Every structure is written in C-alpha cells, then in structure tokens.
Amino acid sequence: MKILKTCEYCKQELIARKTTSKTCSDDCAKRLYKLKQRNNKIQQAEIKEEIKRKPKAFVTEEDVSTPFHRQF
C-alpha cells in the first residue's frame, strides 16, 4: 500500500508505506522528536512560572485529596 503524505517536519511530500508514517526520513523523525521535546519543556516551564505568579488560581494535590481523608 502506498499513500501520498506530507512530512510533519520538512513539509515535503512523501510516499508512505504505512498509514502511521509521519516523516520522510529518519533524520526528520529525530528532528521532529527533539522539537516536540523542546516545546514540551518550554510549556512545562511556562506552567510552573504561571503557578508561581498566581498560586491561588491553581488547584494543588493537597486541595483535592483533603476531602477524601475525612471520616463521615
């Protein structure tokens, strides 16, 4: 089976042999993986910084687990 797709990293057209193929080559796959990892780290840092700025706006684990420890 051959499917015409577009590489997610370099945006070139490729003929994929599988339906799960996302990139045209191993190099593009590695670069796409590193890009996703970098973006994930940046997003996590932004979330941590936002929590530091406005701690009351976010729910912590202690706030969630406290009601369940009470006895009725």
Side-chain angles (χ1 to χ4, degrees):
M1 179 172 24
K2 295 181 180 180
I3 304 165
L4 189 62
K5 287 190 165 191
T6 304
C7 178
E8 287 186 13
Y9 185 77
C10 66
K11 309 298 184 213
Q12 292 180 352
E13 288 189 353
L14 66 123
I15 298 175
R17 295 182 190 166
K18 299 179 180 179
T19 57
T20 58
S21 298
K22 296 179 182 178
T23 57
C24 60
S25 66
D26 189 44
D27 289 334
C28 282
K30 290 176 182 177
R31 291 176 183 147
L32 181 65
Y33 173 78
K34 292 290 273 188
L35 180 67
K36 286 181 180 180
Q37 293 296 317
R38 189 178 307 120
N39 290 340
N40 190 18
K41 273 190 170 183
I42 291 169
Q43 185 180 20
Q44 292 296 324
E46 288 175 351
I47 290 171
K48 285 182 182 180
E49 189 62 33
E50 188 68 27
I51 290 172
K52 286 181 185 177
R53 284 189 210 139
K54 300 177 184 176
K56 302 285 184 188
F58 296 93
V59 177
T60 61
E61 286 185 29
E62 293 111 20
D63 297 339
V64 173
S65 63
T66 304
F68 298 112
H69 293 293
R70 286 192 236 155
Q71 292 185 5
F72 295 102

